Structures are given as C-alpha cells and as structure tokens.
Amino acid sequence: ADCSRRCARLRHPENPRKNMSKNAAYVFVKPHAHTEATVALVKKKFDEVGITILKEEVITAEKIDSDKLIDQHYYAIASKATIMKPADLPVPKEKFKAQFDLEWDAALADGKVFNAMDGMAKLGLDLETFTGHWDQAKKDGKIVKFGGGFYCAYLSTAPTPIYVFNGFFMSMREKFTAKGTSIYAFSVEFDPKVCSWEKFRGEVLGPTDPATAPPGSLRGIINATWQDLGQKTAPNVGDNGVHASASPFEGLAERLNWLGASLADDSFGGALLKAGLDEATIKAWSVDPQVTLDADGAKGSIFDALEDLDVDACIEKCVAINKCK
C-alpha cells in the first residue's frame, strides 16, 4: 500500500518533487579565513566538482551583529545567550535549586539572572574579562547543564555576582561580530547524481576537524596551506575555514536567515509547502528543535535526522516526520 501511494504521488501532475532535481546549500568562508585567496580557492573547487554559484556576497560584522544573524544561525545556543530573556527560558527549577541552593523564582524576582549579552552589559565588562569569570565558574563547579547547549553559571567572582546563561557563546559570537571582520557567502546548487550531499560534505568540504580532512577537500587544503592563503592563524575545529549546510533543510533554514529568503519562493521551501508541511512547522523546524521522529515516539534533533540526505529523500523524510507530530 505504501509503495502504491508513493507511485501514485510520482505520477501525479502536481507532484511537488518533480522539479526538485538539485540540491541547494548555503556556504560561507568564516571570518578568520576570509581572504581573497581563500574565496578564490572555494570558487575553484566548486567549479571543479560541478557546483553552481547562484549568489555570492560579503556580509559585514556590523550587519551580522545588528541583525543577529549569527545568533539565529546558532539558535539552540544563542537563544539562551542573546535572544531570549531568563523568564522565557524553560529552566528546570529543581535542577537550579539543587545546584545553587536557591529557588529559581526567587532568583528571577530578585533580578539576579541574565542571558549572556545582558549579563555582560550589567557587569560593564569587556569580553575577555566576562569570559574569564565564566571560565572560573566552570573551574569552581558553579555551573549546571539543563540540556544540550543550555547552561547556567553563577559568576561568583564578578564585581556583582550574578547567574548567567550560556556565557561561552559571547566569544563564539565575537568571531563574527568583531569590527573589521566579515564572511564571504555563497548560495549554491548541485546535481545529486554528480555530487551527493554526503560527498559534498565529506569530500568537497571535509569533516569538522580540518586535521582529519581529506587532502583535496576545502578544509584539508586550508589546513595545509593557510599561510599561503593569507590567513593569520592555523585552522582548528571551530575555525575550520568554511561552513556549509548539512542538509537541504538546513540549507533552507540558512537561506531564510542569512538571505532573508521567502519560504514560498525558495525552491526547497516551496516544495515542502506543496508536500503538505505548513509554514509554521517549517519555520519552527528551522531552529533545530527536538521533534518526534517516528511512530514509536522517539525524539531527536530535526537537523540531525535530515543530515546528508539528497533533496528528494529529504523531502520524503520531512513528510514522514511531519506525520508523527
């Protein structure tokens, strides 16, 4: 029966996947690696493997900061650090009390808890000093993990001791918002028959750790030739040269954020709408929430569930997961 339904959908003239032959991704050269030589390297590599550049642009630190583009990009972490206020966070009150011997509601009412951005402003500290207090709280065991990418620390060594959420994110953010820095971004597409998404990430881009990347991958080349490319520091796991979407869905989420793309006008976004997903679901998924993945009720990251799938398979899986809500 399932096979018959799939075959019927493929024959149907309104099949939303009929024109979805291309994978579409978002790629950017990270601030530490943004040199003319690195941009030229990326373009050369894309040309060699048949990846078409649809749009390219420089995005300045000022725009990234003012529009909170990097905050949305790392939403799961940044939402607790710069976007949401403590009162709006799903804080497990019993865990807070167990770690800090203080009732959450009392700490909130007394104005003792802040997201990282507001906490740094409250204390009037520069990034280095603020990060030093966060690191000291970790060393002293004055920190609690509420979930993936969700931490609270008591900055007891600060001039005014306060509780802060995800203070570590501010140094990550600074790499993208420091004055004079920028990224070089590409919106690209490629034929999955020529370059699958798995190949795109594993062989064209290379794994997260550039030290383990294949020699011919972008991260591998950058790791071996960073000085020749005009970069000031050697790459590492965080500063690994180039970012790229991990799936067609993640590519959509990144185009919505970085390009301000319209969901309906985006090729992949439009296909999801035609396949039966509603706009609210797609936008909710774009910040990588935990969702129900199967009929057994298993939960997990939507981004992880769709990783490395080519466009048609990604749409199929999105439809299947949507039915499990």
Side-chain angles (χ1 to χ4, degrees), residues 4-25:
S4 298
R5 284 194 293 271
R6 285 196 296 270
C7 290
R9 287 198 303 270
L10 291 173
R11 289 194 301 268
H12 197 285
E14 296 301 321
N15 173 26
R17 297 188 297 276
K18 65 180 179 180
N19 295 319
M20 293 304 298
S21 59
K22 297 290 182 69
N23 287 325

Side-chain angles (χ1 to χ4, degrees), residues 74-86:
Y74 289 121
Y75 185 85
I77 298 171
S79 59
K80 287 88 174 176
T82 67
I83 299 173
M84 299 176 71
K85 302 298 183 182

